[in-house]
Amino acid sequence: MRTTDRQISSSAVFALLLSVVPTQADASELSAGIGFGGIQAGTVTHLAVSPHAGISWRINGNILLNVHDLLSVVPPIQIGGAGVYNSTIVALGYGWKNGDFSAGPSVAIYLMPACGSTLCGHVAGMAAGAHAQTNAYIVGPLGVAVSANVDWIGGSSLVLPGYVSVLLLSAPCFVGV
């Protein structure tokens, strides 16, 4: 009984939020995809599986305001073990008929395997950075997303002497209005 009550109340809150947020059907678009890419923390590049989602609003003609979330999971089958890297991005961009480009600041939370020149281990924390992404729609709403994140990791670390994490990702995407 309690589970049903929670489901109903959370659905009601979600419906209320949707009714309060002013949007036009043709002014926003949702995009989502999953991709495989390389994520580098320190000197070693790891394979990452990265589901991503975003929403874009046209604020003036072809000018876009984008909010993206990019979750990268490093499978435990690699040297150093498993890792998780989640970036949230707010970006300005430019859209055209068959694609768009956006860039802006990002915030990342991570627990990643990383290697320096002589030492390997796990690093965890929060980092500020920059993000750029382009989407090219090839067949209707189906397309390809290419994104790059560079995050500056603070603090002192023997594992990450460069204080930089780089994520490059290419993935299929689906866009719906």
Side-chain angles (χ1 to χ4, degrees), residues 118-136:
T118 60
L119 183 64
C120 289
H122 275 80
V123 293
M126 193 160 105
H131 170 86
Q133 179 168 330
T134 187
N135 297 318

Side-chain angles (χ1 to χ4, degrees), residues 85 87-90 104-108 126-132 148-153 165:
Y85 200 98
S87 292
T88 302
I89 301 106
V90 176
S106 66
V107 175
M126 193 160 105
H131 170 86
N149 277 54
V150 177
D151 294 311
W152 291 270
I153 298 171
S165 175

Side-chain angles (χ1 to χ4, degrees), residues 1 15 26 29 40 42 62-63 67 69 78 92-93 105 109 142 155 161:
M1 184 80 171
D26 61 344
E29 65 181 34
Q40 182 169 349
N62 290 343
I63 305 299
V67 178
D69 191 73
Q78 302 171 64
L92 286 176
I109 298 173
L142 299 176

Side-chain angles (χ1 to χ4, degrees), residues 164-175:
V164 174
S165 175
V166 176
L167 170 67
L168 301 173
L169 175 71
S170 178
C173 66
F174 175 80
V175 175

Side-chain angles (χ1 to χ4, degrees), residues 39 41 43-47 74-83 112-115 119-122:
I39 188 166
T43 59
V44 176
T45 301
H46 299 279
L47 172 68
V74 173
I77 58 173
Q78 302 171 64
I79 295 173
M112 292 293 300
C115 289
L119 183 64
C120 289
H122 275 80

Side-chain angles (χ1 to χ4, degrees), residues 21-40:
V21 176
T23 59
Q24 297 176 358
D26 61 344
S28 63
E29 65 181 34
L30 299 172
S31 64
I34 186 165
F36 300 93
I39 188 166
Q40 182 169 349

Side-chain angles (χ1 to χ4, degrees), residues 37-80:
I39 188 166
Q40 182 169 349
T43 59
V44 176
T45 301
H46 299 279
L47 172 68
V49 178
S50 301
H52 57 92
I55 186 166
S56 299
W57 294 274
R58 292 197 184 272
I59 56 176
N60 186 8
N62 290 343
I63 305 299
L64 304 172
L65 173 64
N66 296 327
V67 178
H68 301 282
D69 191 73
L70 176 63
L71 172 66
S72 296
V73 178
V74 173
I77 58 173
Q78 302 171 64
I79 295 173

